[in-house]
Amino acid sequence: MSKVATRFAPSPTGPLHIGGIRTALFNWLFSKNQNGTFNLRIEDTDKERSKDEYKKQIIQSLKWIGINADGEEYVQSTKIKKHVEIVNKLLDEGFAYKCYCTEDEIEEEKKRAKQKKIPYIYNRKCRSIKNVPKDIDPVIRFKSKIEGNSTLNDLVQGKVNIENATIEDFIILRKDGTPTYNLSAAADDKEMAITHIIRGDDHKMNTFKQMQIFESMGWDLPTYVHIPLIHTSDGKKLSKRDKASTLDDYKKIGIMADALRNYLLRLGWSFKDKEIFTLDESIKHFNIEGIGKSPSKLDMSRILSMNEHYIKHINENELYNQLNKYCEIYKEKIPNEKGEKIKSSLSFLKNKAKTLEDIYNNSKYIIKDKVTVNQDDLKLLDNKAKKIISEFSNNILKIEKLNKESLEPIINDLIKSNETNFKGVGQPLRIILTGSKFGPGIYDIIGSLGKKELLKRLGNKIT
């Protein structure tokens, strides 16, 4: 039996879609589970739309989520000569033919099919052409089977049957001499010795076309695995136009790689009732049998919940490293002199945080030296609030250590003397110290600032 080899084959024509990330993950996990190889193939034959920046983004995105290809990426455009040789062989052996139909003729056919409300299928006019036009550069079409049925034995979808007559004679070589997707994909899968093709079930028709190319060339068929697509919460197919469809949509709000990978693993795949998987557990337990047949809905609340779990349980040194990188890219660089204070305060800064962005927002009062209060919160600092701030500041001068044990009596005395409650004292203090009525607990805020910075902020003029 051949060594398992899988591939992920994106086109560098735009940012990597979240569905593509999941497809890559399933391919990678299956190959690792089977002690096989995982290959990255860049399908860049669309010269107008393919860009090197998207190729780099694809590689960086896979690396970020923990997926590394075995060996260098396979670049499809460097194999065009080999693809054309295969086209010529199919032509020589009668499995393909030259088509001289003009674009106007094809468009007219499509128009008539649309009027009749039937799918367009090329009429195979040039299959048996006798009078070859002299001034027209032909395309080359594959001679698809006309009679009978074809069966796809899919490890997820089961047996899928199709009438051969519904598969058109598809183009395999354009007028400019470049091969098309289905020819190049089939040729590369053979060249790379791919044993298992795991991809979205929107590729099923392509699979039937590629199977015919394999059979015509006398190649052994790979095993096909078509996974259901990811849908939006409304049940529609997720597209690149949707929010939260690309990896950067998640990175910029502070979703961590391990959390997103764990979520995507469970999106359409299950193992018993287990929810949280380490990387090693993912490799150990992943199998094709666990992939469901139905589309999965993208659930942002579930992603946030998964991320919150990882924030709570990750080592705090590692959490700080991730926060630091996140802030530098998407927010602001954390000053070196503030780093240790934030790191030592993570135990409460991460409390109830669902994203790295939440931790950043909780940390802003440490990062920024100047406290800016928005107008809505400023309205809460009435004369009574200002009196509480002043009395608290006077009491702070009398104590040495800033901890809950020394602060609690002061807070309780202020509550009693001002005939208020804990919120009545805590809220104005939080606003004057952080600039917001929202944030960490007041005891944690005071302890993290230190006495010098605390007195400085308490003395800020309220305007």
Side-chain angles (χ1 to χ4, degrees):
M1 186 176 177
S2 300
K3 184 179 181 180
V4 165
T6 64
R7 49 67 160 184
F8 176 55
S11 297
T13 55
L16 192 55
H17 187 268
I18 197 71
I21 293 283
R22 186 187 65 162
T23 298
L25 178 63
F26 281 15
N27 274 280
W28 182 77
L29 287 173
F30 180 70
S31 66
K32 297 302 116 182
N33 175 271
Q34 298 292 312
N35 295 314
T37 57
F38 168 75
N39 303 276
L40 175 61
R41 182 167 82 216
I42 303 296
E43 297 192 338
D44 61 340
T45 52
D46 186 340
K47 289 300 177 188
E48 289 186 10
R49 295 172 62 221
S50 294
K51 294 183 179 179
D52 195 53
E53 65 184 273
Y54 292 132
K55 174 187 168 184
K56 290 177 181 176
Q57 188 263 353
I58 288 167
I59 295 169
Q60 289 168 357
S61 294
L62 294 177
K63 187 176 181 181
W64 180 80
I65 209 161
I67 299 173
N68 292 292
D70 296 306
E72 292 295 312
E73 62 268 14
Y74 182 104
V75 181
Q76 193 170 70
S77 61
T78 64
K79 311 295 179 180
I80 298 297
K81 185 178 178 182
K82 177 71 174 177
H83 299 168
V84 174
E85 288 174 3
I86 291 169
V87 171
N88 289 328
K89 187 171 183 180
L90 289 169
L91 197 60
D92 292 342
E93 296 187 4
F95 293 111
Y97 61 93
K98 294 179 180 180
C99 173
Y100 297 90
C101 292
T102 65
E103 290 180 14
D104 288 343
E105 287 179 277
I106 298 297
E107 284 304 313
E108 187 60 33
E109 272 192 55
K110 288 180 178 179
K111 187 177 177 181
R112 284 198 293 268
K114 189 175 182 180
Q115 288 171 344
K116 294 177 182 179
K117 296 181 179 179
I118 59 173
Y120 164 73
I121 295 179
Y122 172 65
N123 63 15
R124 300 183 171 95
K125 171 184 171 182
C126 290
R127 261 200 185 211
S128 53
I129 192 169
K130 293 179 180 178
N131 298 316
V132 176
K134 292 181 180 180
D135 301 326
I136 297 177
D137 293 325
V139 298
I140 295 178
R141 290 183 181 271
F142 183 81
K143 195 180 286 185
S144 297
K145 297 174 185 176
I146 296 176
E147 299 175 348
N149 298 314
S150 289
T151 300
L152 164 63
N153 294 308
D154 191 278
L155 293 190
V156 169
Q157 307 294 332
K159 286 186 181 293
V160 182
N161 293 295
I162 191 171
E163 292 182 12
N164 288 327
T166 62
I167 304 174
E168 70 169 342
D169 287 1
F170 54 97
I171 296 171
I172 55 176
L173 196 72
R174 302 181 186 91
K175 288 184 179 182
D176 62 4
T178 59
T180 59
Y181 164 74
N182 279 303
L183 187 285
S184 293
D188 287 340
D189 286 334
K190 170 61 179 174
E191 179 73 16
M192 298 169 74
I194 301 301
T195 62
H196 292 73
I197 296 176
I198 305 172
R199 58 187 176 187
D201 63 10
D202 55 337
H203 277 282
K204 284 204 290 284
M205 182 54 79
N206 286 330
T207 295
F208 281 107
K209 293 175 180 179
Q210 291 164 24
M211 284 169 60
Q212 289 201 27
I213 293 173
F214 266 80
E215 290 165 354
S216 299
M217 292 297 295
W219 301 335
D220 291 334
L221 286 174
T223 299
Y224 292 98
V225 182
H226 289 88
I227 59 179
L229 301 179
I230 298 175
H231 285 189
T232 65
S233 57
D234 297 328
K236 297 176 183 177
K237 177 184 171 184
L238 188 71
S239 73
K240 290 182 179 180
R241 290 182 294 276
D242 289 305
K243 289 182 179 179
S245 67
T246 69
L247 195 62
D248 204 52
D249 292 326
Y250 297 91
K251 291 172 71 175
K252 69 186 179 187
I253 64 169
I255 300 297
M256 298 192 297
D258 286 347
L260 188 60
R261 186 181 63 238
N262 198 146
Y263 174 78
L264 291 175
L265 169 66
R266 290 287 290 108
L267 192 63
W269 178 84
S270 62
F271 176 76
K272 299 180 179 179
D273 59 353
K274 189 173 174 61
E275 287 290 333
I276 305 298
F277 292 81
T278 64
L279 191 57
D280 288 342
E281 287 173 337
S282 301
I283 293 170
K284 178 182 177 182
H285 296 302
F286 187 82
N287 56 18
I288 302 300
E289 293 77 15
I291 301 174
K293 287 186 178 183
S294 302
S296 300
K297 288 185 180 180
L298 195 68
D299 185 345
M300 195 63 201
S301 64
R302 185 75 190 104
I303 295 173
L304 291 171
S305 177
M306 184 73 75
N307 206 54
E308 184 177 18
H309 171 88
Y310 276 85
I311 285 173
K312 283 181 179 177
H313 294 89
I314 193 174
N315 175 280
E316 287 188 354
N317 283 329
E318 176 58 26
L319 179 59
Y320 176 75
N321 289 338
Q322 292 201 33
L323 175 69
N324 196 28
K325 289 177 186 175
Y326 167 77
C327 289
E328 188 168 355
I329 296 170
Y330 297 102
K331 300 297 181 183
E332 60 185 305
K333 184 175 173 60
I334 297 174
N336 291 334
E337 65 273 16
K338 302 293 180 71
E340 283 304 316
K341 185 171 284 189
I342 291 174
K343 191 186 292 187
S344 63
S345 303
L346 275 175
S347 60
F348 66 84
L349 292 174
K350 70 179 183 181
N351 187 34
K352 296 182 181 179
K354 294 182 182 293
T355 65
L356 294 176
E357 184 174 44
D358 289 342
I359 301 177
Y360 163 74
N361 287 332
N362 288 340
S363 306
K364 280 198 287 189
Y365 77 94
I366 298 176
I367 297 171
K368 297 180 183 295
D369 291 320
K370 186 178 179 181
V371 176
T372 304
V373 183
N374 66 55
Q375 288 302 311
D376 288 338
D377 287 348
L378 202 57
K379 292 174 185 176
L380 298 173
L381 298 182
D382 55 17
N383 289 332
K384 185 176 181 179
K386 292 175 183 177
K387 178 174 176 287
I388 288 171
I389 292 168
S390 177
E391 290 175 358
F392 179 79
S393 181
N394 291 333
N395 279 294
I396 285 297
L397 292 169
K398 302 171 186 176
I399 61 173
E400 291 297 324
K401 290 186 178 180
L402 296 178
N403 53 39
K404 188 174 181 181
E405 289 72 24
S406 62
L407 292 168
E408 199 166 38
I410 297 173
I411 299 288
N412 288 336
D413 286 346
L414 288 172
I415 292 171
K416 188 176 180 180
S417 63
N418 288 277
E419 298 180 345
T420 186
N421 53 24
F422 187 83
K423 181 181 178 183
V425 173
Q427 185 168 271
L429 289 177
R430 185 181 287 108
I431 292 171
I432 196 68
L433 295 176
T434 71
S436 173
K437 64 182 177 182
F438 301 112
I442 192 63
Y443 293 121
D444 291 323
I445 292 170
I446 293 168
S448 64
L449 286 173
K451 195 169 184 179
K452 183 180 178 182
E453 182 64 21
L454 177 65
L455 288 170
K456 175 187 167 188
R457 295 190 183 196
L458 288 170
N460 283 343
K461 190 176 181 181
I462 301 169
T463 55

